[in-house]
Amino acid sequence: MQIYKVGGAVRDRLLGKPVTDIDWVVVGATTEEMLAKGYRPVGADFPVFLHPKSGEEYALARTERKSGRGYGGFTFHASPEVTLEEDLIRRDLTINAMAEDDQQNLTDPYHGQRDLEERILRHVSPAFAEDPLRVLRVARFAARYAELGFKVAPETLELMRQLSESGELEALTAERSWKEISRALMEDQPQVFIQVLRDCGALKVLMPEVDALFGVPQPEAHHPEIDSGIHTLSVLEQSALHKQPLTVRWACLLHDLGKGLTPEAEWPRHIAHEHKGLTLIKAVNERFKAPKDCQELALLVGQYHTHGHRALELKASTLLELLQSFDVYRRPQRFEEFIVACEMDARGRKGLEQRSYPQADYLRGAANVARGVAVQPLLEKGFKGLELGEALKRERLKALKAYKESAAS
């Protein structure tokens, strides 16, 4: 029995990055031998065991063969005869197909260390094209390591293109796709993930609504970058630069989908794109079964982001409707995320990345004013039920009018 550290732990050590998760491969062992040593089985599809003390995962060396569509369409074979090289060749990228023994002696049959040094994301073998999830994984690694200068090898991008055209991507489950998408969006350069998906044709399969934005012009006065797709990438980039949570990044990606529906005759204007985009945002949300908080914020940002930009001009009554739509009284965090998504949208424009956004503090102040209206005096006046709600609304409107006048003076 020989035990090797494999995959990401080896890759990140060689890159000088912190090693968090460690994967282990056991060569030359049987299930019975693992059980006899106190390892606990956890793998349903193939033999994976938990170490009796550390709890880390140890997998028996295995080979795999394509047997169906999608991520799960594989038959695995594990036995003591499977070599380390045979186990490594089934992995996605050369930089993930290296192993180390307990003395840090490197086993690198597919030149992963060379590709690390040359900053190349390259597939290990033609079997790469058998697993559609790898399209998303490679795009995610491109986003993760973009700051180090990593690029996808042309021949790997070509295999990703073939996978995108094969119909295999449609076989991915919503859960598997969302896991990769959400992880990619939380990388330091998530816009690279979207760009790589577009480069290989996967974006038009997975998110045709986002892909449709590229090549659609916007008014240059407001959008010096002009292209709606480029703008979306820039907004996503800003959300990462400002360390925003997943909810905000997801909303930033989807906020302008309605612009993809504008007839060419109306370009570069996009009248009512906020409302038109809601059906598309809802479709993308449902396709990937995005978490509820991501879904809700994406829809709200899509519908109201231009309200955010025009906050200083809004009538007090419109401002109150906006606050009510977000339920700022019970859901203050959601409104805060809306505000920062609007700010990322404003900054995601060529040459305007450092612009100030006074609308943010103005909206926060308005929310505080509305929340500050006390209910107790109204109860003491005998208001209750629907009448109480209307009275509360009148008092909040009065407070917001005073706030607006104060801010203008």
Side-chain angles (χ1 to χ4, degrees):
M1 181 190 297
Q2 295 169 295
I3 297 176
Y4 297 90
K5 188 183 294 183
V6 295
V10 180
R11 176 197 69 225
D12 288 344
R13 185 187 72 77
L14 291 172
L15 282 173
K17 286 185 161 287
V19 174
T20 50
D21 298 324
I22 300 179
D23 294 319
W24 303 90
V25 160
V26 184
V27 177
T30 63
T31 297
E32 292 72 25
E33 287 174 307
M34 297 295 285
L35 295 174
K37 291 180 178 293
Y39 288 81
R40 304 189 306 279
V42 291
D45 299 323
F46 42 82
V48 178
F49 303 85
L50 298 181
H51 191 279
K53 292 182 180 177
S54 70
E56 291 178 325
E57 288 191 357
Y58 286 67
L60 294 187
R62 63 186 187 272
T63 59
E64 61 186 35
R65 182 171 55 85
K66 185 75 169 171
S67 59
R69 290 189 78 204
Y71 166 77
F74 292 90
T75 301
F76 297 94
H77 170 67
S79 80
E81 286 74 41
V82 176
T83 66
L84 180 60
E85 288 75 11
E86 287 173 325
D87 182 271
L88 293 175
I89 200 172
R90 65 181 178 77
R91 298 173 186 271
D92 50 5
L93 297 171
T94 59
I95 64 170
N96 296 329
M98 296 179 284
E100 284 180 346
D101 61 17
D102 57 2
Q103 302 298 312
Q104 287 193 345
N105 294 313
L106 190 68
T107 299
D108 181 18
Y110 309 109
H111 312 295
Q113 189 170 23
R114 180 194 65 195
D115 285 344
L116 273 185
E117 292 166 356
E118 295 180 0
R119 302 304 198 239
I120 294 174
L121 301 172
R122 192 194 314 275
H123 64 284
V124 178
S125 78
F128 173 94
E130 295 177 350
D131 184 355
L133 190 68
R134 289 177 169 175
V135 172
L136 290 166
R137 277 177 55 83
V138 172
R140 174 164 64 82
F141 279 117
R144 175 181 295 180
Y145 296 122
E147 63 174 354
L148 297 179
F150 275 82
K151 302 291 183 187
V152 181
E155 62 271 28
T156 302
L157 197 65
E158 178 57 32
L159 281 183
M160 292 165 68
R161 188 174 292 113
Q162 291 173 21
L163 262 172
S164 300
E165 295 170 355
S166 71
E168 282 273 331
L169 289 177
E170 289 94 325
L172 291 174
T173 66
E175 291 77 13
R176 291 299 311 184
S177 296
W178 177 254
K179 184 176 181 181
E180 290 297 326
I181 291 167
S182 59
R183 290 177 71 184
L185 291 180
M186 292 309 294
E187 298 290 359
D188 287 340
Q189 296 197 36
Q191 77 282 1
V192 173
F193 171 72
I194 300 299
Q195 184 63 59
V196 170
L197 290 182
R198 184 161 187 269
D199 290 344
C200 71
L203 190 62
K204 66 183 176 185
V205 177
L206 296 167
M207 298 183 199
E209 302 87 351
V210 176
D211 191 67
L213 295 174
F214 289 87
V216 175
Q218 304 164 104
E220 189 173 359
H222 302 295
H223 288 275
E225 72 287 347
I226 300 177
D227 190 290
S228 297
I230 300 301
H231 168 62
T232 295
L233 294 184
S234 298
V235 176
L236 192 54
E237 181 179 13
Q238 288 296 317
S239 73
L241 283 171
H242 290 84
K243 309 296 183 187
Q244 299 301 338
L246 177 61
T247 45
V248 172
R249 298 187 191 204
W250 182 241
C252 286
L253 177 63
L254 305 185
H255 78 286
D256 262 351
L257 292 189
K259 291 179 178 177
L261 296 176
T262 305
E264 284 189 37
E266 295 179 16
W267 289 354
R269 300 179 68 203
H270 297 280
I271 300 166
H273 75 276
E274 305 90 348
H275 177 71
K276 292 175 183 175
L278 295 181
T279 302
L280 302 183
I281 294 171
K282 188 175 182 181
V284 179
N285 276 336
E286 292 177 352
R287 185 178 311 136
F288 298 110
K289 292 185 169 63
K292 188 178 179 183
D293 57 347
C294 287
Q295 293 199 28
E296 289 177 350
L297 187 68
L299 285 164
L300 287 165
V301 171
Q303 184 171 1
Y304 293 113
H305 62 276
T306 48
H307 277 52
H309 301 328
R310 294 177 49 244
L312 301 173
E313 309 159 25
L314 296 179
K315 295 186 296 184
S317 57
T318 307
L319 198 53
L320 180 59
E321 287 173 13
L322 178 67
L323 298 174
Q324 303 275 74
S325 298
F326 279 84
D327 192 7
V328 295
Y329 318 108
R330 293 181 298 179
R331 303 280 299 276
Q333 183 59 31
R334 186 168 64 178
F335 191 62
E336 175 60 28
E337 290 181 350
F338 164 75
I339 292 171
V340 296
C342 290
E343 184 171 356
M344 297 307 101
D345 182 24
R347 290 175 181 270
R349 305 169 196 226
K350 188 177 180 182
L352 301 175
E353 296 84 358
Q354 304 302 321
R355 74 190 310 187
S356 63
Y357 196 69
Q359 296 94 322
D361 284 340
Y362 181 79
L363 287 169
R364 290 184 184 108
N368 286 333
V369 164
R371 279 194 291 261
V373 173
V375 181
Q376 190 60 35
L378 299 176
L379 290 171
E380 290 171 358
K381 288 180 180 178
F383 288 107
K384 56 185 176 181
L386 291 175
E387 287 185 343
L388 175 62
E390 287 301 314
L392 194 54
K393 191 174 179 180
R394 285 194 299 272
E395 291 302 312
R396 285 169 174 161
L397 183 57
K398 189 187 302 182
L400 285 171
K401 284 180 177 176
Y403 172 73
K404 185 172 175 60
E405 289 172 8
S406 173
S409 61

